[in-house]
Amino acid sequence: MAISYNESTKTFYLDGKGITYAFYINEFDYVEHLYYGKTIGHDDLRYIRGLWGRSVIAAVPGYDVDVDSGVQSYNHFGSELTFYGTGDYREPMVEIVNPAGDRLTQLLYDSYEILPEKPAIKGIPSMRDGETLVLHLKDKVSGFACDLYYTVYEDAGVIARRAVFKNESENVILLNRAYSFAMTLPHMGYDVISLYGCWAKERRVDRIPMHHGVVSIDSKRTSSSATLNPFMALAEKGATEEQGNVYGISLIYSSSFVLKAEGVCDGRTLVTGGINDFDFRWKLESGEELETPEVVMAYSSEGIGGMSRCFHDAYRNHLINPRYVRKHRPLVINNWEATYFDFTPEKLKSIAKAVQGTGIDTFVLDDGWFGKRINDHSGLGDWVVNTDKLNNGLKEIIDYVNGLGMKFGLWFEPEMVNEDSDLYREHPDWAIGVPDRPHCYSRYQFMLDLTRKEVRDYIVNAVNKVLQENHIEYVKWDYNRNVTESYSIGREPERQAEFAHRYALGLYDLCERIVEANPNVFFEGCASGGARFDPGILYYFPQIWTSDDTDAEERTHIQYGTSLVYPLSSMSCHVSVVPNHQTYRITPMATRADIAHLGATGYELDTSHFSDEDRAVVHKQVAEYHGMEDLILNGDLYRTENPMESNYFGFMVVSKDKTEAVLTAYRRMGGVNNEVKILKVAGLDAEKMYHVDELGLTIKGSTLMNVGIVPKFADGDFMTVKYRFREKNLAV
Ligand code: DGJ
């Protein structure tokens, strides 16, 4: 059993792959955290508690401080749920306003259940499967209650957690804060790792020392955003890519979030977070509940890389749509960088025709096919074909592409509207905004108010109509601006601060209704590049456009950072033209392909000019990719060289059974009389013999991993090398 309860010590033990998580119900019915880390025995862990006594405290309400010199304070209990106003001065996980105006609550243990089947969160994406514990906590005075959910997995070193806040009173209760989890780590000797960025520079890695006070990362954009990803890791001092205790926190949420690590005066670290309480207030009527988004916590003693592999297993096996687990991905040619808005049917056909027979199997028509979309000033919201550009409609192109033996994919930006559109002329009030105040333009567009059902119904019908009337097998779902003027016409003033979370609920409803109505369509997420690359989106769309920056050098940074949390199968990566359209850099075609092939790969360039030789090059690259696709999409990732720290980048991917692997390494700057570079090799079975095609040698795993490989980069800058490893008896 993965979850067990010891009646005599009132301790819960949660065992997942390689991990134990333990807490108990103390003498005040407080849920007190005890342990999170490597698998341990189910011993009585309460002996560690006494170490944290203090003398000057606010004792648990009603408790006589003279009895026990003050250990008995909420402030000093390792916590699974912190609350405000009764002696705990740490970051509260929840803050409510009672009918009398006081903000107190004491959420204490009432009962528990163990569920063999994990219930889904209503209207919010969450992990599937796993054994689940539900703790029921109650505030006896107010009738406010909370359920804490914990799920563990046999095949991934993660715990999924969330909270449901319930109003079991006769009155209205206001929630000023409703986070998903709280947890105490035993000391403060951590570095906080986060992923920051901006357009074309998504998910760069930041690492700062933990300190007394709060380290907070958040988004206030009603979107997860490129600015900070909903992820935080606490890496023990000295933890490296391969070694040391690392705790990762990843929130399955796509709207404004916050994650906090608080260095507490007792020397421990409290971690908490969830929906951002900035610009948030939620009204809970009697009998109502608020479900919070799920957080996935990964632990590994094998460093940052180990943490990533826990997340990758969890998200590949239990988060993405089961239709795509361990499945081949479409390999696309996308027309965006080839034509932008300026295309004709002939041009599109020639782009598709040029790659026929190369192994590229899907042609994706990007922005510009609908409404009066001649540029980005008009057309969004009008999901009917632009017959000025495509005089015979979509059918002509789709038939042509299908005739080449390829699938057809189409771009949408369902959440948006241009002022210059029929939709806006008909329903100006559907755009998010405050009456009588001007809108912020962003890329000349406004956002639709997804908190309103009639708006969502319009979008669902319009998109589903296009998908059902045409033979479309792939959709790229874009999102190119963030909310401003958060406000929804028609909602009561006291519910306006519910907007950011209601937008997420609206978005998830939209995704659910469109994805489920079109089971034969493969969906890719996108947001001005990778500005909404989060687990919430991944639940609906198994891959996400990683960045508009397709320059191979920049991509080594972006893909490195993204892989801290997200599996390679989730990263859509395209080979594009040089000079690169974002950086103007020129890198070799082979390098662009080698880096783009470290994900769900595709091509995005004007192939209509291709010579036979170009076609042959792509054909060879695609064949190579197909030969390692299963490894890339489903194998274990080892980041062997960090491009932020050196002249090199390296990703090694090893099959689960360790019979196969591939190592792609990149050298940024060439030179003369270069240093001797030895590439790290990782993740192999030390005892197996591997044939390394490129070395023409068969070598023992332990030798490869301890000695490494001296790469033969071609002269010049931005060069890659690739090595394939096959267990000896599998060598070809
Ligand atoms: C932003 C995306 O990231 C691009 O790939 C492209 O689809 C454009 N939007 C189209 O407007």
Side-chain angles (χ1 to χ4, degrees), residues 346-408:
E346 288 63 44
K347 181 71 182 180
L348 299 178
K349 287 180 190 172
S350 63
I351 291 171
K353 172 80 183 147
V355 295
Q356 185 187 21
T358 58
I360 291 178
D361 53 33
T362 306
F363 172 83
V364 178
L365 174 53
D366 210 281
D367 195 353
W369 62 268
F370 52 89
K372 294 275 175 280
R373 188 78 165 165
I374 43 170
N375 53 34
D376 53 9
H377 290 56
S378 60
L380 289 172
D382 298 340
W383 300 113
V384 287
V385 70
N386 178 336
T387 44
D388 292 341
K389 281 192 196 178
L390 304 173
N391 0 56
N392 298 318
L394 285 172
K395 190 170 178 339
E396 179 189 353
I397 308 296
I398 297 175
D399 287 349
Y400 183 82
V401 166
N402 289 165
L404 296 175
M406 291 162 69
K407 295 178 177 170
F408 179 81

Side-chain angles (χ1 to χ4, degrees), residues 199 202 334 336-337 340-341 366-368 370 373 376 380 411-413 443 445 476-480 524-531 545-549 574 582 604:
W199 176 76
E202 294 90 340
N334 176 301
W336 178 243
E337 286 205 1
Y340 295 102
F341 293 105
D366 210 281
D367 195 353
F370 52 89
R373 188 78 165 165
D376 53 9
L380 289 172
W411 180 97
F412 288 89
E413 197 177 2
R443 208 196 188 200
Q445 66 199 53
K476 178 177 174 188
W477 180 308
D478 207 344
Y479 167 89
N480 284 299
E524 170 167 315
C526 175
S528 254
W545 181 226
T546 314
S547 176
D548 278 346
D549 195 339
H574 291 177
Q582 319 305 342
E604 183 166 340

Side-chain angles (χ1 to χ4, degrees), residues 69-120:
S69 70
V71 176
Q72 312 296 28
S73 167
Y74 291 146
N75 204 70
H76 297 314
F77 298 153
S79 190
E80 293 295 302
L81 191 164
T82 41
F83 42 76
Y84 172 71
T86 45
D88 192 346
Y89 298 102
R90 297 170 297 184
E91 280 290 323
M93 177 177 147
V94 59
E95 194 212 332
I96 72 170
V97 182
N98 288 306
D102 70 273
R103 279 91 54 224
L104 306 193
T105 186
Q106 273 174 279
L107 285 164
L108 301 175
Y109 176 77
D110 181 71
S111 58
Y112 79 95
E113 300 169 70
I114 295 175
L115 311 175
E117 298 240 329
K118 181 174 189 281

Side-chain angles (χ1 to χ4, degrees), residues 410-415 450 459-460 463 467 474-480 503 506-515 522-529 532 537 540-541 543-545:
L410 197 60
W411 180 97
F412 288 89
E413 197 177 2
E415 299 155 73
L450 300 194
I459 299 170
V460 169
V463 173
L467 296 183
Y474 183 110
V475 161
K476 178 177 174 188
W477 180 308
D478 207 344
Y479 167 89
N480 284 299
Y503 187 88
L507 169 65
Y508 295 145
D509 177 56
L510 213 58
C511 293
E512 182 76 29
R513 288 162 68 191
I514 293 176
V515 169
F522 182 90
F523 286 82
E524 170 167 315
C526 175
S528 254
R532 199 168 58 181
I537 295 298
Y540 298 103
F541 310 149
Q543 67 189 42
I544 303 174
W545 181 226

Side-chain angles (χ1 to χ4, degrees), residues 152-447:
V152 279
Y153 297 86
E154 279 171 7
D155 61 352
V158 302
I159 299 182
R161 286 192 55 184
R162 64 187 172 100
V164 180
F165 295 106
K166 300 157 100 173
N167 182 355
E168 295 176 351
S169 78
E170 301 291 302
N171 309 303
V172 169
I173 290 177
L174 297 178
L175 286 163
N176 280 341
R177 175 180 289 191
Y179 290 169
S180 299
F181 76 108
M183 182 203 30
T184 306
L185 292 175
H187 56 80
M188 270 180 55
Y190 303 101
D191 289 332
V192 178
I193 299 174
S194 59
L195 297 173
Y196 72 98
C198 55
W199 176 76
K201 278 208 181 325
E202 294 90 340
R203 288 168 296 286
R204 301 295 164 115
V205 183
D206 208 3
R207 182 168 178 162
I208 57 157
M210 187 62 217
H211 57 72
H212 284 97
V214 179
V215 179
S216 171
I217 63 146
D218 80 341
S219 162
K220 303 180 185 70
R221 294 171 178 257
T222 316
S223 167
S224 50
S225 100
T227 312
L228 282 165
N229 199 262
F231 157 77
M232 175 187 266
L234 289 118
E236 242 167 33
K237 286 271 176 242
T240 63
E241 186 59 26
E242 299 96 19
Q243 286 172 3
N245 288 324
V246 180
Y247 299 86
I249 314 282
S250 168
L251 189 67
I252 307 181
Y253 194 49
S254 313
S255 187
S256 302
F257 71 90
V258 65
L259 292 172
K260 292 176 177 171
E262 180 177 8
V264 183
C265 59
D266 66 8
R268 288 184 284 176
T269 300
L270 178 85
V271 192
T272 186
I275 298 171
N276 201 342
D277 47 323
F278 170 83
D279 196 18
F280 169 86
R281 186 172 318 107
W282 197 273
K283 189 173 166 188
L284 268 191
E285 301 279 359
S286 170
E288 280 185 351
E289 55 186 45
L290 176 71
E291 303 226 37
T292 63
E294 189 162 59
V295 70
V296 178
M297 309 192 314
Y299 162 78
S300 177
S301 59
E302 290 174 21
I304 304 164
M307 171 203 72
S308 299
R309 289 187 288 279
C310 293
F311 279 130
H312 296 176
D313 285 340
Y315 286 167
R316 282 186 303 212
N317 296 338
H318 303 290
L319 181 70
I320 68 161
N321 190 325
R323 286 203 286 272
Y324 305 113
V325 173
R326 299 194 70 87
K327 291 283 161 32
H328 162 80
R329 295 293 170 79
L331 206 155
V332 308
I333 174 74
N334 176 301
N335 76 305
W336 178 243
E337 286 205 1
T339 66
Y340 295 102
F341 293 105
D342 188 15
F343 54 79
T344 60
E346 288 63 44
K347 181 71 182 180
L348 299 178
K349 287 180 190 172
S350 63
I351 291 171
K353 172 80 183 147
V355 295
Q356 185 187 21
T358 58
I360 291 178
D361 53 33
T362 306
F363 172 83
V364 178
L365 174 53
D366 210 281
D367 195 353
W369 62 268
F370 52 89
K372 294 275 175 280
R373 188 78 165 165
I374 43 170
N375 53 34
D376 53 9
H377 290 56
S378 60
L380 289 172
D382 298 340
W383 300 113
V384 287
V385 70
N386 178 336
T387 44
D388 292 341
K389 281 192 196 178
L390 304 173
N391 0 56
N392 298 318
L394 285 172
K395 190 170 178 339
E396 179 189 353
I397 308 296
I398 297 175
D399 287 349
Y400 183 82
V401 166
N402 289 165
L404 296 175
M406 291 162 69
K407 295 178 177 170
F408 179 81
L410 197 60
W411 180 97
F412 288 89
E413 197 177 2
E415 299 155 73
M416 303 290 166
V417 66
N418 280 117
E419 198 171 20
D420 184 3
S421 68
D422 292 341
L423 182 67
Y424 188 80
R425 281 181 280 276
E426 207 177 318
H427 295 288
D429 64 303
W430 283 12
I432 294 170
V434 180
D436 303 328
R437 282 189 183 269
H439 291 275
C440 283
Y441 290 84
S442 182
R443 208 196 188 200
Y444 315 102
Q445 66 199 53
F446 303 146
M447 289 185 63

